[in-house]
Amino acid sequence: MDIQMEDLLQATIDEKGSDLHIRARMPPLLRVHGELLPLMDEPLSDEDTYNLCKQIATEKQMEEVEHNGGSDFAIAHPDGTRFRVSILKERKRYGMVLRQIPSTLLKMEQLGLPPVVKELLFKPRGLILVTGPTGSGKSTTLASMIHVINQERSAHIITIEDPIEFYHQSEKSLVTQREIGDDVPSFAEAIRRALRQDPDVILVGEMRDLETIGAAITAAETGHLVFGTLHTTGAAETVDRIVDAFPTNQQAQIRTQLAAGLQAVISQILLPKLDENGEVHGRVAAFEIMTSTDAIKSRIRDNKTNMIKSDLQTGAKFGMQTLDAHLTSLYKEGLISYEDLITKSQDPDSIVQKLKEEMGQ
């Protein structure tokens, strides 16, 4: 079958797909509004998928797939639309997933982020974490934050990414973007080097190992505003994940450092967005926001993260909100379905009970 990668990318753009899946013995699949849909009837052969990979990957990247089982990089369609690519081996056959990177940066208000998040961007130092499962829009949220700093602060911003997704042109700020593999070997090494490059703001694309987490915490402690991501859901779980990454004999010290340096945890998930007719039209983000207060600091320091949830519930005046509270408000606005409200919430029984009480049942 003579299939061109450019045609599949064009179809992804035309259909407003978020992800394109290429697998041997399956037709190409497109994720649209969260659902996987076939782009054609015929399945791809083993040779088709190999050729499609070869059309967009360099020789070095194909060698990386052979040796490591995968390669991640970014490409651009001729119209300028960029894609994040992950080539993989599956049952000795080639496959890949391509994620479309939005070409226009959405404003924080368009993403649904509350005003308190913008205030965080003007902090002189500290650690701000954006967390959530894969495909929850973390990169988009971080890019919109960096864009605000770039437009409104005179700062040196260093982003460390694997691969670079959104390109930022220096505006009021100077933006330096470094890609793992091409510009620097690892996240931890990039953070260490960044500290000698007069940064004000450092974006760490992924805090994936102990060395990177430690380097990010140190950078936040030494007078820099550091943004990072973790694949966790919820503020308490995020704190626990960071602490648990360290050996037992270091955990008390890390809790003290986190209590002092953590400015906020923003957890997010993406859900199918309903229009006025109840039809799925796009996606909408739900957020949990934890900001640093004296109470939160003591919870982290004293290893009482199980009490953070109650602080979130009572911390509205500090800009805090629980994921369940935001999900409930999205449901009441008619933006998400009852099914998604219940399946995505952290405490569905409480939500059902509250809704019944509000209806007088």
Side-chain angles (χ1 to χ4, degrees):
M1 213 184 324
D2 182 25
I3 303 177
Q4 296 302 308
M5 199 65 223
E6 195 175 310
D7 296 334
L8 293 175
L9 295 179
Q10 187 63 58
T12 306
I13 295 164
D14 293 344
E15 298 294 329
K16 297 182 171 57
S18 60
D19 299 85
L20 171 63
H21 290 259
I22 306 289
R23 288 289 188 286
R25 307 177 192 185
M26 291 280 293
L29 295 170
L30 198 57
R31 189 178 293 278
V32 182
H33 306 324
E35 296 288 320
L36 283 173
L37 307 169
L39 266 179
M40 52 196 247
D41 295 329
E42 286 182 72
L44 299 168
S45 67
D46 296 9
E47 189 181 3
D48 289 333
T49 56
Y50 178 71
N51 289 335
L52 287 168
C53 292
K54 290 264 292 184
Q55 285 177 31
I56 59 169
T58 63
E59 209 170 298
K60 181 184 169 189
Q61 285 158 349
M62 291 302 283
E63 282 175 15
E64 190 183 358
V65 180
E66 282 299 325
H67 292 134
N68 301 331
S71 180
D72 299 324
F73 53 94
I75 59 165
H77 183 267
D79 75 356
T81 304
R82 299 186 71 245
F83 289 84
R84 187 174 77 196
V85 184
S86 182
I87 297 183
L88 56 104
K89 290 286 284 290
E90 180 235 9
R91 299 193 212 172
K92 300 180 181 175
R93 299 189 286 265
Y94 282 80
M96 61 180 150
V97 182
L98 300 96
R99 166 154 299 167
Q100 185 174 178
I101 301 168
S103 50
T104 53
L105 278 168
L106 293 173
K107 292 182 178 174
M108 291 170 67
E109 298 77 19
Q110 290 173 297
L111 295 173
L113 284 161
V116 69
V117 175
K118 186 170 182 179
E119 294 170 24
L120 295 168
L121 309 183
F122 295 85
K123 299 275 186 188
R125 69 187 68 81
L127 183 61
I128 296 172
L129 298 174
V130 177
T131 77
T134 303
S136 57
K138 297 186 296 294
S139 299
T140 305
T141 295
L142 283 166
S144 74
M145 290 174 164
I146 294 298
H147 185 58
V148 169
I149 296 172
N150 188 19
Q151 286 189 312
E152 300 188 25
R153 286 182 58 184
S154 177
H156 181 203
I157 303 165
I158 298 178
T159 77
I160 305 160
E161 301 170 77
D162 181 21
I164 293 170
E165 295 191 27
F166 294 89
Y167 285 134
H168 296 273
Q169 300 299 325
S170 296
E171 294 185 32
K172 194 170 181 182
S173 287
L174 169 65
V175 186
T176 302
Q177 294 191 264
R178 309 194 74 197
E179 187 162 315
I180 302 300
D182 285 347
D183 302 316
V184 68
S186 69
F187 281 107
E189 179 71 11
I191 299 168
R192 279 195 294 272
R193 291 188 183 277
L195 296 179
R196 300 182 200 130
Q197 293 156 5
D198 186 33
D200 300 290
V201 177
I202 302 171
L203 165 66
V204 184
E206 205 175 322
M207 290 166 58
R208 59 171 69 144
D209 55 47
L210 173 62
E211 202 180 1
T212 305
I213 294 169
I217 291 171
T218 300
E221 268 192 315
T222 53
H224 307 90
L225 187 61
V226 179
F227 294 87
T229 69
L230 283 165
H231 293 289
T232 50
T233 305
E237 187 190 328
T238 299
V239 172
D240 291 340
R241 177 74 63 87
I242 290 174
V243 172
D244 290 345
F246 289 83
T248 310
N249 64 339
Q250 292 179 30
Q251 290 182 358
Q253 181 197 338
I254 291 300
R255 274 197 290 272
T256 302
Q257 287 179 278
L258 263 186
L262 188 62
Q263 292 285 0
V265 177
I266 300 155
S267 293
Q268 63 184 82
I269 56 173
L270 274 184
L271 304 106
K273 181 181 180 182
L274 304 180
D275 60 19
E276 56 270 20
N277 301 317
E279 300 291 322
V280 174
H281 188 76
R283 297 207 274 177
V284 64
F287 297 98
E288 176 170 286
I289 313 282
M290 182 193 85
T291 58
S292 179
T293 62
D294 289 342
I296 293 290
K297 286 175 183 175
S298 68
R299 303 288 189 230
I300 296 171
R301 203 168 36 240
D302 302 339
N303 195 18
K304 293 180 178 174
T305 51
N306 59 313
M307 298 173 76
I308 285 176
K309 187 179 175 185
S310 62
D311 292 324
L312 297 184
Q313 290 168 336
T314 57
K317 65 182 175 188
F318 301 111
M320 295 198 237
Q321 66 185 31
T322 64
L323 182 67
D324 286 5
H326 195 201
L327 283 168
T328 303
S329 68
L330 290 173
Y331 169 67
K332 287 178 179 175
E333 289 172 47
L335 293 173
I336 64 170
S337 69
Y338 180 77
E339 184 184 351
D340 279 334
L341 166 68
I342 299 304
T343 56
K344 301 296 182 185
S345 64
Q346 293 169 330
D347 187 356
D349 292 340
S350 292
I351 286 182
V352 171
Q353 187 59 38
K354 276 181 189 167
L355 290 174
K356 281 182 178 176
E357 285 169 9
E358 285 171 14
M359 292 169 67
Q361 292 182 354

